[in-house]
Amino acid sequence: MAATRRSNKEAPARPRLRDARRRMIEGTIESLRIHGASATSVDRVLAHTGAPRGSVYHHFPGGRAQLITDALSAAGGSMSEFIETITREYDPTTALDMFVAFWRRTLLDSDYRAGCPIFAVAVETNDDAPEFAASAAEIFARWNTALTDLLIRHGLDPVRSRRLATLTVAAVEGAIALCRVERATAPLEDTVRELQAHLASAVGASEQ
């Protein structure tokens, strides 16, 4: 599309529109963390963010489905980049500690109200929007790949590495849910201790 010239009076509208889209994405992520996909509506996001209603279909012509899909992409991309960075730069024990520290901080900062937006979508049926589950699956696969590659680099065979990566993601995500119910970090702390023991044993055996 050819660029159009804007007058000086129209120019400020462009950053406001970009800001409105950003606020709606961030508001949707927050709603997914706390309420899940089924309770995340355009009205809820607008009420939370104060974004103008008229901009919803300008930025998200697909409506609620696109809003949630784009929010999943943003949240999943950010978290995936974090996981890929720590698994590339640190050993398995340190990477796991950093992964868990992120979720511990999220739980405490939100007073146990917020969990993982990807997990929140994954545990719902969302029959009317199967693309949500597909997006969640792609994100979890990216995390699994990063963890698998880390373990392979530390001497584990690919099959064992994949299984341990799956165990790690599943255990941490499940522990986050338990922490929210119990309003305590104990499930996460217990989980990470056991995972660290498994990882240390597996990596140690591979080095012998």
Side-chain angles (χ1 to χ4, degrees):
M1 180 180 295
T4 58
R5 184 180 301 276
R6 293 179 177 271
S7 69
N8 290 334
K9 291 183 179 179
E10 293 175 321
R14 289 179 64 87
R16 282 203 300 269
L17 287 174
R18 288 198 297 269
D19 187 58
R21 186 181 192 282
R22 177 187 57 79
R23 294 204 314 272
M24 284 187 282
I25 288 289
E26 292 176 351
T28 302
I29 293 171
E30 186 68 10
S31 182
L32 291 172
R33 287 183 183 278
I34 297 172
H35 305 291
S38 61
T40 296
S41 64
V42 170
D43 286 343
R44 182 186 289 275
V45 172
L46 291 177
H48 177 72
T49 63
R53 178 174 292 276
S55 66
V56 174
Y57 290 100
H58 173 82
H59 296 295
F60 308 97
R64 172 180 175 274
Q66 183 181 350
L67 182 60
I68 292 178
T69 300
D70 288 359
L72 283 172
S73 178
S78 176
M79 193 63 199
S80 296
E81 289 173 4
F82 168 68
I83 292 172
E84 287 165 352
T85 296
I86 62 176
T87 55
R88 184 172 57 248
E89 297 182 359
Y90 299 97
D91 59 86
T93 297
T94 304
L96 178 58
D97 281 342
M98 296 176 73
F99 184 48
V100 170
F102 171 86
W103 292 117
R104 184 188 297 112
R105 185 170 61 252
T106 296
L107 289 163
L108 293 173
D109 288 350
S110 68
D111 194 26
Y112 300 100
R113 298 184 70 233
C116 173
I118 316 305
F119 183 76
V121 169
V123 298
E124 296 185 4
T125 54
N126 296 305
D127 289 334
D128 59 332
E131 63 268 31
F132 297 168
S135 294
E138 290 177 3
I139 294 164
F140 283 138
R142 189 172 168 184
W143 299 2
N144 189 283
T145 296
L147 291 166
T148 298
D149 290 346
L150 169 64
L151 294 171
I152 290 174
R153 290 197 302 273
H154 281 77
L156 275 68
D157 70 83
V159 174
R160 183 79 190 283
S161 296
R162 178 183 55 78
R163 289 202 300 257
L164 280 174
T166 299
L167 173 64
T168 300
V169 173
V172 172
E173 291 289 341
I176 293 167
L178 289 177
C179 288
R180 296 181 69 189
V181 172
E182 297 182 12
R183 296 184 59 77
T185 61
L188 190 59
E189 311 302 345
D190 290 343
T191 297
V192 71
R193 287 192 189 97
E194 288 302 314
L195 286 175
Q196 291 288 25
H198 277 290
L199 289 174
S201 175
V203 172
S206 70
E207 294 175 345
Q208 293 178 356

